[in-house]
Amino acid sequence: MLHPEHLKFLKEFDEATKDQQCLFIRCVNRKLPVINSKSLIFVELGDIQQLLSDLKQKGWLSEVTEKDKGRFINALTKDGLYDLANSPLIELTTSVKKSYPRQLLVEACHAISGRDICATDIAKEYVVRAKDDIIDYFLFLYFGNCRDRLNQFSMRDLGIMRTREEIAQVQSRFECKHQALSVFQLKHLRRELKTLPLQTANEILALYHSLPEAVGEQAELEKNKIAFLLANRLIEHDVLLALPLLKQIQHQDAQEKWCREAFKQGMKEQVEAQLLSIIDNPISDHLAFFAEDFLARKYQQKRTSLMTDMLRQGNRHLVIDEIYKGSVEKGVITHYQNQGLLAFRTENNLWRALFCLILWEEIFDTPGMGLATEFDYMPESLKQNKLYESAGTQIENTLVHLTSGEAWINAVVRSLAKHAHKPQSLYSATPTLIEELKYLTQLSDPLGLQGILLRMAKDWHGTKDGFPDITVVENNQIRFEEIKGEGDALRRNQLLRIQQLRELGFEVQITTAEFAIDPMQPYVVVDIETTGGRANQHKITEIGMVKIINGEVVDQWQSLINPQRKISKFITQLTGIDDEMVSEAPVFEEVADQIENFTKNSIFVAHNVNFDYGFIREEFNRIERIWRRPKLCTVQQMRKYFKGLESYSLANLTKHFDISMQRHHRAMSDAMAASELLNLVNEKRLQLQNQAH
């Protein structure tokens, strides 16, 4: 993979002393290529100034030159910028102050000529890396991108970063050095495009026509991406100049863009011909969908898009409590669970897990197409979208034998037993994954499962996401639902997955959710007593919980909790709870399951909810368990719906609304009082909701 200049550098590096190598590598690890030599303090390396002189002589570092002006200014601190602007050798037309914002100081320094900057003492304190093009190429060959740096090896060795050494193949990513260099140069250029000041159409066209030749498929893909970016910039200046460029770019986004822009310019016959050509021979499913939809709406007088039609045809509409506005999928899952159904948030993870576990050997073990290095996340077969091309026969042989649900789940379990300990990034091993996979494989048509995995193998880039949000099991039948709240749009990849799944025999629905007050939504109103005010420093001494459905108390739970520490006199005076009372009480871990089950599928309610919620969540954290619930605060809700009261403390509110309270600062008494406040709030919310309808 190395060219003559790379081999020459490696030879020179091998001939350098270890201290020279070490200092150079430490310079390479600096974030910026312009480095303050005074910051290079490494007592174990000896005479740093002599080493710097050696590295300059080798041509690995250099002095700051006029061409480094921009990078040098960018490397300076705010104090450094001020010192440069006020250098004795510099004469600015206007003086600058130390209090100026950094951007003003940068602008002032850019007004200085490069020659004058290089003559200053501050510039002489800096050195510039001179071999970044070579080092960047080495890093690119190893990591496969232009982002990762050498410090990842340090993070690996310190145990901060987990790698995938066990399944890495340690292989080249390219067929030859010319292909490798071509991809590197084009990727590097694409990164630079973000900051290149292309201000005229001629500058954009000149860069477009000067793009280097692409060697190999990966380079062609990079070149097409660059061409598309340039064509988009050109549209801002001259659409008619941009259209010929767009049309010849073999990229789905460019083809779609050409059709849209050409249609705007009145080129309707040409666009229609192009749409028909795309439908006959599409680059991707996404582009084919666009062509069919655009043709129908613009040429066949269809009034709505396919995505709008799909949303309108959604055959399930649910009303869920507005508390789930930020997590509509959770609200729908809770709705089904409260009806006694099995429902999981699965989305892409379920299908990726099945794909990975069933085809593990083909994905990770195909020679030359697995993980190139231990730092890789994605196998080359998927990264290059060539899994089926590289292992199609093996994939067909693997899938053809999976003719029953039992065969599928057995294959999943065998793969998990063999590979579960190996780190990978295709799916997340959630606690419920095996159960979800069991339902998927047992209740689905084996031919349908084969079909979707074949599609994923043939076009990973086009099918890796967009799967329905949740899985529901009802009457021993499985279905998948894409959930859309008010204002949510159906994305193209989601529509494609729905169509593909339905074609393969899966039941898939689009479920729209309307947010409203649901009287049948369970609420658990909670109050706790504690040893102090901070959850990370103190413990719970008592919990009282009241479950409310449709305004009625349907269940209660309370318990003293042994905090396993002394209770202060102040807390005892406030709550009446002392050390003796909790000495025989259970510790939190002993009642955690009861709290988990009592609050499950319910909205967590409390007066100043973050206090009670935070303490309970922290107690779960201490026993290494995750606990989350949607929450509602009666203080906030009372302020919103009952404005103008003198005080919103629990004691004053209960007095104002004539709510009985047996003993303030005891958990169950306060929870019962807060539940009355919740009912007042919900009555007001329902009243406003009914008026709105």
Side-chain angles (χ1 to χ4, degrees), residues 601-620:
N601 298 334
S602 300
I603 295 172
F604 184 99
V605 183
H607 207 66
N608 288 318
V609 68
N610 287 335
F611 178 85
D612 305 76
Y613 186 91
F615 263 91
I616 294 178
R617 184 177 61 185
E618 184 63 29
E619 292 281 13
F620 273 102

Side-chain angles (χ1 to χ4, degrees), residues 297-574:
R297 287 189 295 113
K298 301 299 184 182
Y299 293 88
Q300 299 167 4
Q301 304 304 309
K302 189 173 180 295
R303 301 179 66 88
T304 56
S305 69
L306 292 174
M307 286 185 278
T308 300
D309 292 344
M310 184 74 81
L311 271 176
R312 289 179 177 176
Q313 293 165 7
N315 53 6
R316 190 176 295 267
H317 182 76
L318 300 177
V319 176
I320 61 174
D321 199 281
E322 64 181 14
I323 198 75
Y324 293 106
K325 276 188 176 179
S327 53
V328 60
E329 296 87 358
K330 174 63 177 173
V332 174
I333 288 172
T334 301
H335 171 86
Y336 286 135
Q337 289 176 341
N338 286 335
Q339 292 182 339
L341 304 181
L342 285 168
F344 310 97
R345 175 71 185 272
T346 48
E347 205 169 3
N348 302 317
N349 196 60
L350 179 68
W351 298 97
R352 288 184 182 183
L354 185 68
F355 174 72
C356 183
L357 291 169
I358 293 296
L359 301 177
W360 182 285
E361 280 73 21
E362 292 82 358
I363 294 169
F364 290 103
D365 298 340
T366 299
M369 298 303 288
L371 296 179
T373 75
E374 63 184 290
F375 291 93
D376 278 30
Y377 289 93
M378 193 65 62
E380 289 297 309
S381 59
L382 301 183
K383 192 181 294 184
Q384 298 181 33
N385 216 24
K386 291 185 175 180
L387 177 60
Y388 192 82
E389 181 181 324
S390 61
T393 302
Q394 302 96 298
I395 290 170
E396 297 274 7
N397 289 338
T398 297
L399 296 179
V400 75
H401 294 99
L402 302 177
T403 56
S404 67
E406 183 179 1
W408 276 91
I409 194 61
N410 286 343
V412 166
V413 172
R414 284 195 302 270
S415 185
L416 275 171
K418 188 175 180 180
H419 305 298
H421 66 286
K422 300 174 183 177
Q424 49 75 37
S425 62
L426 296 185
Y427 71 91
S428 299
T430 62
T432 59
L433 180 62
I434 295 179
E435 181 183 9
E436 294 164 9
L437 286 169
K438 180 179 178 182
Y439 283 113
L440 174 64
T441 54
Q442 296 293 297
L443 301 179
S444 298
D445 180 358
L447 291 178
L449 295 175
Q450 289 178 17
I452 200 67
L453 262 60
L454 273 175
R455 282 181 178 268
M456 295 175 77
K458 291 178 178 179
D459 182 18
W460 168 254
H461 289 179
T463 57
K464 65 182 186 220
D465 52 24
F467 287 97
D469 294 309
I470 70 170
T471 303
V472 182
V473 178
E474 183 175 11
N475 297 326
N476 209 35
Q477 294 184 325
I478 192 169
R479 69 172 181 268
F480 307 96
E481 297 189 16
E482 181 64 36
I483 311 300
K484 294 298 175 188
E486 297 168 2
D488 286 349
L490 186 66
R491 297 194 301 274
R492 189 181 298 173
N493 64 334
Q494 294 171 337
L495 177 54
L496 286 170
R497 290 302 84 69
I498 291 170
Q499 290 177 332
Q500 290 169 352
L501 287 167
R502 285 177 175 175
E503 289 170 3
L504 291 167
F506 295 96
E507 182 182 352
V508 189
Q509 299 176 351
I510 298 174
T511 299
T512 53
E514 176 186 346
F515 298 110
I517 307 303
D518 180 5
M520 301 310 294
Q521 166 66 54
Y523 296 84
V524 171
V525 188
V526 181
D527 188 81
I528 64 172
E529 303 303 331
T530 68
T531 60
R534 296 187 177 182
N536 61 345
Q537 298 176 9
H538 294 278
K539 304 289 288 296
I540 295 173
T541 58
E542 187 179 33
I543 301 178
M545 299 190 291
V546 181
K547 184 170 288 188
I548 304 288
I549 297 179
N550 201 19
E552 300 293 331
V553 176
V554 297
D555 203 355
Q556 299 180 31
W557 187 93
Q558 65 177 324
S559 177
L560 288 167
I561 306 291
N562 186 341
Q564 299 178 296
R565 65 177 62 184
K566 288 191 69 64
I567 299 173
S568 70
K569 290 182 180 180
F570 171 77
I571 294 296
T572 298
Q573 289 172 356
L574 182 68

